[in-house]
Amino acid sequence: MLAILRRRLLPFLLCSPLLILALPAAHAQSAAQLDHAYQSELQAENDALRARIQQLPPAMQELNTQIAAALRAGNRPEAQRVAEEMARQDPRNADVRLFLGKLHAQQGDLPAAQDLFDQAIKLNPDNKWAYVNKAGTQAERSDLPNALATSRELTTRFPGWSIGYNLQASLLDAMNRESEALDAYQKAVRAEPASALILTNQGNLLRRVGRLTDARLSYEDALRIQPGYTLAKSALADLPNSPEKQ
């Protein structure tokens, strides 16, 4: 189950907004696997990030440009070195901390990444994606109880955000708490944005617990929200017609 959770969370960790707006190709490929709702949310946060970057002093903007060049050249150590210089020059910039956390996570230094995500949240508790990254890092460290606690911080602060409940449901599912996971999925379905990915995730869990009719309805709802959504189409096509569990 943890392997399934890792595959589900990894695209969000890689694609959630970076300080650098031009994502490397590998990140763009992961983003293409997300549904329209996730892509729209990520784009909205990147647009807000772009505006924040434009408000930085010229010297900081120049450092940001150097990081972008380093990433395009595949030189992550140089990108990290320059980002650390940005952090020294602007110690209260949450975006820099979030970006550094991503770099450390991608390099496998999960304790450092988690610490940086914590710092980003303290500096800006209204950045939803910082919580997503922190919870994902905790899950990668097999610390599911604390990852769940982080997801609950997120849904408490943003009770109308479907992506937060989807994260919470995925963690509960990984902890074999299927009933609570289904409750979290229902909250996600009632929240915004409406998401084909979330409905597909819900359908997958319903299928696993033997509620095939409800799983079919969830996949069909996903396709109504986003016609042609590949994950929902394939799941629906593979759905057996066997009797449901009692």
Side-chain angles (χ1 to χ4, degrees):
M1 183 60 69
L2 188 58
I4 295 172
L5 176 64
R6 184 175 292 112
R7 290 196 299 271
R8 189 176 295 172
L9 290 177
L10 184 59
F12 308 153
L13 299 180
L14 294 180
C15 299
S16 49
L18 296 173
L19 183 64
I20 304 308
L21 296 174
L23 298 180
H27 296 160
Q29 182 178 0
S30 295
Q33 298 170 6
L34 302 178
D35 73 346
H36 291 166
Y38 270 85
Q39 291 171 1
S40 295
E41 289 292 292
L42 289 165
Q43 185 59 53
E45 180 57 25
N46 269 327
D47 289 344
L49 179 56
R50 188 192 307 273
R52 294 196 296 272
I53 289 173
Q54 290 173 347
Q55 298 301 313
L56 292 175
M60 290 285 285
Q61 292 192 39
E62 172 58 28
L63 290 174
N64 185 67
T65 300
Q66 291 177 29
I67 294 174
L71 287 177
R72 284 194 296 270
N75 191 345
R76 290 186 180 275
E78 175 64 10
Q80 181 174 326
R81 184 193 68 78
V82 179
E84 288 170 350
E85 177 59 27
M86 290 186 75
R88 282 190 290 271
Q89 292 193 25
D90 189 358
R92 298 197 58 77
N93 190 309
D95 294 323
V96 176
R97 292 295 192 282
L98 182 56
F99 174 66
L100 278 169
K102 288 175 176 298
L103 282 182
H104 281 280
Q106 291 163 10
Q107 294 163 12
D109 189 353
L110 298 180
Q114 184 176 326
D115 182 60
L116 285 157
F117 294 144
D118 268 326
Q119 293 176 37
I121 291 169
K122 288 176 183 176
L123 290 168
N124 178 14
D126 289 327
N127 189 321
K128 302 170 183 176
W129 294 101
Y131 296 89
V132 174
N133 278 273
K134 178 183 174 182
T137 299
Q138 290 169 314
E140 280 286 299
R141 300 179 72 186
S142 299
D143 187 4
L144 294 182
N146 279 318
L148 179 61
T150 299
S151 78
R152 285 177 168 155
E153 289 178 35
L154 174 61
T155 56
T156 297
R157 194 168 189 89
F158 302 99
W161 198 44
S162 60
I163 291 171
Y165 289 112
N166 184 51
L167 170 64
Q168 190 173 117
S170 297
L171 291 164
L172 287 163
D173 188 9
M175 298 170 74
N176 298 316
R177 294 161 63 173
E178 290 89 352
S179 178
E180 292 173 83
L182 287 171
D183 288 343
Y185 277 130
Q186 277 298 293
K187 292 177 181 177
V189 169
R190 292 193 293 268
E192 295 291 336
S195 166
L197 185 150
I198 291 173
L199 283 160
T200 303
N201 287 345
Q202 176 182 251
N204 292 340
L205 178 53
L206 288 165
R207 174 178 176 169
R208 289 208 325 272
V209 300
R211 293 170 55 181
L212 301 186
T213 300
D214 289 337
R216 181 178 300 278
L217 292 173
S218 197
Y219 295 143
E220 290 172 349
D221 285 344
L223 291 170
R224 273 191 286 272
I225 289 174
Q226 186 173 327
Y229 183 56
T230 303
L231 294 182
K233 278 184 67 176
S234 61
L236 185 59
D238 290 341
L239 191 67
N241 293 316
S242 57
E244 297 193 2
K245 293 179 183 177
Q246 300 300 315

